Amino acid sequence: MYRRYTLPQDAPPHVWANRATQVKQAFLHAYHGYEAYAAPFDELRPLSNSKINNFNGWGVTAFDSLDTMLLMGLQDEYSRALDIVRQANFTHSETVPVPYFETIIRYLGGLLSAYTFSKDSTLIKRAEDLVTKLEPVFNTQSGMPYFGIDPSSNKTYGPNIGILAEVASLQLEYYYLAKLTGKKRHFKHADNVMHALSSANLTSTGGMFPVRWNLTSGEPFDTRLSVGAQADSAHEYLLKHYLMTAKGDKKSLEMYIRATTHIITDLLYLSPTRHLLYVTDTTHPTNESRASASHLFEHLSCFLPGLFALGAHSLPLDDLYLLGIDFRSLVGHKLYGFAGMNHERLSEWNLKQLHMWAAEGLAQTCWLTYADQPSGLGPDEMIMFNPGKRAWDSKSSQWVYKDNAYLWLEALEKWKRTGGRGPPPGVGAKSPIAYYPSDRSSQRAKRRDYLIRKSGYLLRPETVESLYILWRVTGNYKWRVRGWEIFKALKRETMTTSGFASLESVEMTPAPKADSMPSYFMAETLKYLYLMFLNEDPVPLDKFVFNTEAHPFPIFKWTEEERELFSE
């Protein structure tokens, strides 16, 4: 059924301060439950009040929560968590193999960020202990890491075909560790990955990184493009590495511009009825053919509006020559295929404005997938309606499916040709459409423009991450208010006697719960909500960048001595 929606009014500062306090209380409830029933195991099972080792058995919830505690001023909890950090035995794992990617973003990221706010040298010592045990994963010809390792035997695990997010999401952590320790080997691990990415042949994908990579050659293995699972953080780290090193690495920026250009031209679509802007996966069978889109929209992809907003806020997108970038010659390189055509289409637009439209439209869709549900929380995966249809293919003499879905850029170009009246496609205000499972077969269900593929809510942070960044970048209170609505739903639907639980389905209320509380709930979801509601941001976006697990690292410059040492 349609539901009339009116955006709640903004609140005075003291009300927002109280809301931040409520998030802190939620964190304490969750962490105290972990301490009571699960520590020093990895995670709490919040329904059975039991524990599980699912990320090495070193106490991932404690490591992941360190900087959140420091930002919230929870010194007692932080001191007790340090005991778990000190006692963790990185030479033995309860789960084999140790997944390299998850270990870096959760454990190493947590240690480095906590050091940033505490300056406790114990944390750097533990970080060094950890990366030393992980060192064998880099024994590939390209320098891209294997999937995982058994720290007891140093045996590595994983095929020679790696996943983009897992092989290309370590730059922030390793460059920052190199800055803190002055050790060349940390710098080189990150630099080898950056070299492989920047020199890869991306002819078949228009300058954007595909999902699978050959760890021997350092070259792409397929042409599937995504910003969701298996790819998300690699794209994120391009911009954030450039920002973290005080805008000193031009290659990272060039790769970010190429990736976002391709996302805008080929991966952003509009739904047919509500005109919801969404991002999906595509595959390029050849350079000439239009990409084949899956129209799968993932909660994991809801980090993208925040990334677009951060880039528009931080970069002179319409004056890139000020940064020494000639985009026309950049994308015309033989390694980037049809990227030049994509740039030609965008050259008619104000890029800063275009990126912000993408950020606002995508963020609105991510929020609507929450507001559409009876629980007020968003599903993990959706299939967006595609207005394509069957057509007879005379070449193959058979019926084929023709994808006639609305590419966002095509809709924008038509809007511009017809006078550009009203808000740009996908950006104007839209109201939620709520229905219950009993309505699924009715015509009214089709008005939402999507079907839920995975109805669970896994306490994920991506949507609130983007709302937080949009609030800080634009100052528009609507993003903050929407974050508050999500937090209220979180408390109402997921809270248990010992913590907060993932949901099996968001399509009903009360929502059925699952016996899981991932560590990222305290590292990311609650942290972003807390920072969103604070009146003064302790980690401003012009002084810090967040790794993909929401661990803030400070922006820094390399000294001349460091440059000489690391380049030897």
Side-chain angles (χ1 to χ4, degrees):
M1 60 183 173
Y2 281 102
R3 180 172 62 196
R4 209 179 276 274
Y5 181 81
T6 303
L7 183 70
Q9 293 298 305
D10 196 7
H14 73 274
V15 172
W16 285 110
N18 177 264
R19 291 171 177 177
T21 299
Q22 290 185 53
V23 178
K24 182 191 294 189
Q25 291 167 346
F27 177 90
L28 285 169
H29 174 69
Y31 194 77
H32 288 167
Y34 166 74
E35 287 185 307
Y37 298 108
F41 277 57
D42 282 332
E43 291 179 350
L44 168 70
R45 289 186 175 274
L47 299 184
S48 59
N49 292 341
S50 59
K51 54 199 175 187
I52 184 173
N53 276 329
N54 52 351
F55 285 103
N56 313 342
W58 301 333
V60 69
T61 294
F63 280 78
D64 231 359
S65 300
L66 291 171
D67 56 357
T68 309
M69 296 173 189
L70 290 169
L71 288 168
M72 291 181 173
L74 304 176
Q75 289 296 328
D76 291 343
E77 286 73 17
Y78 174 75
S79 297
R80 295 195 297 271
L82 275 184
D83 290 336
I84 297 175
V85 171
R86 295 188 187 99
Q87 294 167 17
N89 179 9
F90 298 143
T91 64
H92 171 77
S93 174
E94 294 295 325
T95 56
V96 174
V98 166
Y100 175 75
F101 165 70
E102 297 288 357
T103 301
I104 290 301
I105 65 173
R106 300 190 193 211
Y107 284 98
L108 181 59
L111 289 167
L112 295 177
S113 184
Y115 174 80
T116 297
F117 299 111
S118 71
K119 296 299 183 284
D120 185 342
S121 59
T122 301
L123 300 169
I124 297 300
K125 172 65 168 57
R126 294 267 63 194
E128 290 267 68
D129 293 340
L130 176 61
V131 297
T132 298
K133 287 307 302 178
L134 299 175
E135 197 83 11
V137 301
F138 292 105
N139 291 337
T140 63
Q141 189 171 321
S142 67
M144 290 179 164
Y146 283 117
F147 169 79
I149 185 174
D150 180 348
S152 299
S153 64
N154 292 334
K155 178 184 176 182
T156 56
Y157 288 78
N160 286 322
I161 304 303
I163 299 301
L164 177 62
E166 295 175 354
V167 302
S169 302
L170 58 95
Q171 303 93 300
L172 299 188
E173 294 82 1
Y174 274 75
Y175 279 130
Y176 184 37
L177 183 60
K179 178 69 175 178
L180 293 175
T181 64
K183 294 185 177 179
K184 182 178 178 179
R185 72 175 186 273
H186 306 320
F187 181 92
K188 291 302 291 182
H189 287 318
D191 221 45
N192 287 341
V193 170
M194 292 302 298
H195 175 74
L197 294 175
S198 63
S199 60
N201 189 330
L202 304 177
T203 303
S204 297
T205 56
M208 185 175 173
F209 301 142
V211 171
R212 294 197 294 167
W213 287 70
N214 186 311
L215 303 188
T216 301
S217 66
E219 289 290 336
F221 187 74
D222 67 5
T223 60
R224 186 167 77 85
L225 303 178
S226 175
V227 297
Q230 303 185 329
D232 45 6
S233 52
H235 305 301
E236 176 187 358
Y237 273 30
L238 298 176
L239 174 64
K240 291 184 174 181
H241 171 231
Y242 175 72
L243 297 178
M244 185 182 74
T245 55
K247 302 181 179 179
D249 186 272
K250 193 169 74 170
K251 284 186 177 180
S252 291
L253 177 59
E254 291 171 347
M255 289 185 279
Y256 174 75
I257 297 297
R258 283 199 298 269
T260 51
T261 296
H262 193 83
I263 290 168
I264 289 172
T265 55
D266 281 65
L267 272 67
L268 294 186
Y269 284 80
L270 284 176
S271 67
T273 303
R274 296 170 83 186
H275 294 165
L276 304 178
L277 181 61
Y278 65 95
V279 63
T280 193
D281 302 347
T282 67
T283 301
H284 275 280
T286 70
N287 287 358
E288 292 77 23
S289 65
R290 177 170 169 174
S292 173
S294 71
H295 301 289
L296 172 68
F297 181 46
E298 304 173 64
H299 191 290
L300 284 170
S301 299
C302 283
F303 83 97
L304 187 63
L307 187 66
F308 269 122
L310 180 62
H313 174 69
S314 307
L315 304 174
L317 289 172
D318 293 290
D319 296 299
L320 289 172
Y321 67 90
L322 296 175
L323 305 176
I325 293 179
D326 178 354
F327 195 84
R328 194 174 296 268
S329 64
L330 174 69
V331 297
H333 192 281
K334 63 181 180 180
L335 295 180
Y336 308 130
F338 50 91
M341 292 185 294
N342 291 343
H343 170 65
E344 286 298 323
R345 295 181 69 182
L346 297 194
S347 63
E348 300 178 3
W349 296 88
N350 178 307
L351 283 183
K352 181 182 179 70
Q353 185 180 65
L354 192 64
H355 281 227
M356 280 306 300
W357 284 345
E360 293 175 3
L362 287 167
Q364 178 175 245
T365 300
C366 292
W367 166 73
L368 282 170
T369 67
Y370 279 63
D372 282 351
Q373 312 309 324
S375 66
L377 297 170
D380 205 48
E381 290 184 3
M382 291 146 286
I383 296 293
M384 308 300 291
F385 288 169
N386 173 7
K389 55 187 176 182
R390 292 176 72 229
W392 181 257
D393 182 13
S394 58
K395 289 184 178 179
S396 61
S397 297
Q398 61 183 353
W399 289 97
V400 296
Y401 185 81
K402 294 291 186 180
D403 183 355
N404 295 320
Y406 303 102
L407 274 166
W408 183 53
L409 186 59
E410 292 178 355
L412 280 177
E413 290 168 341
K414 181 178 179 181
W415 170 78
K416 188 175 184 180
R417 286 195 305 269
T418 55
R421 290 183 293 274
V427 182
K430 297 174 176 62
S431 295
I433 299 176
Y435 70 85
Y436 287 81
S438 59
D439 296 320
R440 284 179 186 160
S441 61
S442 69
Q443 275 299 115
R444 80 178 71 148
K446 296 181 180 179
R447 298 172 187 161
R448 287 211 312 204
D449 277 5
Y450 61 84
L451 294 174
I452 293 177
R453 186 185 189 205
K454 292 184 179 179
S455 62
Y457 171 67
L458 308 182
L459 300 176
R460 290 200 192 276
E462 290 79 17
T463 294
V464 295
E465 171 186 357
S466 287
L467 297 182
Y468 158 68
I469 294 174
L470 276 160
W471 155 243
R472 291 300 179 189
V473 165
T474 69
N476 190 326
Y477 78 91
K478 73 178 181 181
W479 306 113
R480 201 183 197 190
V481 169
R482 289 169 178 176
W484 172 242
E485 295 298 312
I486 290 173
F487 178 68
K488 289 193 296 183
L490 263 173
K491 284 188 67 177
R492 181 182 67 247
E493 301 290 343
T494 75
M495 193 170 182
T496 73
T497 57
S498 60
F500 294 81
S502 297
L503 300 181
E504 294 180 348
S505 175
V506 298
E507 296 184 272
M508 59 193 73
T509 183
K513 297 180 177 67
D515 203 8
S516 171
M517 187 176 75
S519 70
Y520 59 68
F521 176 64
M522 285 173 281
E524 301 186 73
T525 309
L526 291 181
K527 181 186 290 157
Y528 282 128
L529 287 166
Y530 179 71
L531 294 175
M532 197 185 324
F533 301 158
L534 287 178
N535 293 303
E536 296 293 330
D537 196 343
V539 284
L541 297 176
D542 61 343
K543 295 182 180 178
F544 291 86
V545 296
F546 291 85
N547 88 334
T548 196
E549 192 78 2
H551 296 305
F553 301 155
I555 290 172
F556 63 82
K557 288 185 178 180
W558 298 114
T559 66
E560 287 303 318
E561 292 79 7
E562 289 167 338
R563 292 180 186 277
E564 291 178 10
L565 171 65
F566 296 148
S567 64
E568 290 176 355

